[in-house]
Amino acid sequence: MLKKYKYEELTAADLQQLVLRNTDPNQAIQSAVFEIIDNVRHNGDKALKDFAAKYDQVQLDKLYLDQEEIESLAATIQRDQQRALEIAFQNIHKFHSSQTKRERVVETMPGVKCWREPRPIEKVGLYIPGGSAVLPSTLLMLGVPARIAGCKEIVVCSPPQRDGKINGFVAYCLKLLKIERIYLVGGAQAVAAMAFGTESIPKVDKIFGPGNQFVTKAKSLVQSLTNISIDMPAGPSEVLVIADETAKPSFVAADLLAQAEHGADSQAVLVATDSNIVDAVNEELMKQLEVLPRKEIAAKAIANSYAVITKDLKSAIHFSNLYAPEHLIIESDYWHMVTSLILNAGSVFLGHLTPESAGDYASGTNHTLPTSGYARSYSGVSVDSFIKKITFQSISEEGIQQIGSIVEILAELEGLQAHKNAVTIRKEK
C-alpha cells in the first residue's frame, strides 16, 4: 500500500525529505566501493576473478567470451525473440540517427569564420546490469548510439551467469551491434576495471550504463579519481505517475509495478489529484502484485514508495519538478495542457496508452536516464553522449583587420602583452 501525503500540507522541509532517495548517510557504500576500486586498481584480473567467485558464485578461467562463443549463445534463442530484438534495434537506430545533424559555419564578422565538428570518443565502456534481471535492452540503448557516433573501441562488461557465460539475448544484441567480445565482470569492479584497465580489460575514456547504488557510486568515484568521464549518475530505477480522474487505476498500478520489479531499492511514486484515485490504485496494486514472479522484490520497492495528493494537474507537475524523476508518466486526457510546465524529467510518457515499458524496450528513445534527482541537470544518453564537439575557426586577411584591434584592446586591458603581440605582428605583416 502506498502511504498518502497531502501536497498542500507539506512544508518545504517535508518536501525536501520526501524527494530524497538512495542516500548513503553513513558513507557505508562509498567505503565499500573505495575498497573494490583499490583492489582492482592494484590486483587487476585476479581481483576481478575473486569478485566473480564472491558475488556471482562462479569460477572464471578467463574474463571474456569471444566472437565464436557469442555466436553460439546467440543461436540458442527463438526466432520470434530474435525478431523482437531486431525491431527494437531498428527503432532505436532510427530515432538516434536523427541526432547527427551537422552544424553550419558562422561568420561572426567579415573574414572570421567559426564552426564545430563532432568527433567520436575513441574508447567507451558499456556496463550492462545482470543481477536479478539481465537487461539486453540496455546493451542496445548504449551500443546503438555508440555505433552511430563512430566510437573505435566499445568495451562491454556484464556479470557472468552461474555457468560462466551470458544469456542468449545479450549475445544476440552483441551480434546485432557487431561487438565481438564481452567481459564477464559486474558491479563496482567492472567500473573500476574500465577506468583503470587490467591485464584483460582495456582502459576506456568514458563509462556508460545504469546499475545499483554500488555501480553508481563507483562511476562517481572513478570520475573524481581519474580523467575518465561518465554518462550520468544512473542508479536504481524510479517512476513518477501523475493521475487524474480520467486515469485508469489498473494502468497506473501496472506502471508503478513495472518499475518496482526492477529492484527493492527502486521507487514508484503516485501523484494523484484525488484521494480516491490513490485508494483505487492501491487495490489494483494488491491484485497485480500477487501474480508477479518478482512479487517479493516489487513489494519491497512499493513499501519504499508513496502517493502525493494535489489539488490539480499543475500542482502535480510542480511536485514532479521537485522530485525530478527518471521516468514521468502523465495518465490524463489533459496531458497536452501541462507538458510545457515540465522542467525536470529524464523521459516523459504521455496519455493512457503510453507505458514506460515501451520506452524501456522498443519505441526508440533511450532508457539510460538520470536518477536520484539528477534529471535537474543531466539528460539521458544520446548520440551526443558518445561524441565531443571541437570548435574550429579560420581568419582571413580581411578578418584579422576586422577583429585585430578588438583583440589588442582586450588583451591590453587584461595585461597580457604576448596575446596582443600575436595579433599585432599579423596585422603589420
Side-chain angles (χ1 to χ4, degrees), residues 92-121:
I92 296 164
H93 196 283
K94 187 174 184 178
F95 178 75
H96 287 75
S97 292
S98 69
Q99 301 167 7
T100 59
K101 295 176 182 175
R102 297 184 67 85
E103 299 178 21
R104 66 187 179 91
V105 176
V106 177
E107 192 168 32
T108 56
M109 59 194 310
V112 181
K113 294 181 179 180
C114 305
W115 68 96
R116 295 200 306 172
E117 293 184 13
R119 296 291 186 272
I121 296 171

Side-chain angles (χ1 to χ4, degrees), residues 31-93:
S31 297
V33 171
F34 254 129
E35 287 186 18
I36 290 170
I37 290 173
D38 192 57
N39 194 345
V40 173
R41 188 176 185 177
H42 290 98
N43 298 308
D45 283 0
K46 181 184 183 304
L48 298 178
K49 290 176 180 178
D50 290 344
F51 284 129
K54 180 178 180 180
Y55 295 124
D56 305 306
Q57 288 80 53
V58 60
Q59 299 290 333
L60 296 175
D61 295 324
K62 61 187 176 91
L63 290 169
Y64 63 88
L65 299 179
D66 59 25
Q67 185 179 8
E68 186 178 339
E69 293 167 300
I70 290 167
E71 291 273 359
S72 176
L73 289 166
T76 63
I77 69 173
Q78 298 172 11
R79 181 57 196 146
D80 63 331
Q81 296 168 331
Q82 293 178 352
R83 184 61 182 149
L85 290 169
E86 288 165 7
I87 292 171
F89 173 88
Q90 290 163 9
N91 288 352
I92 296 164
H93 196 283

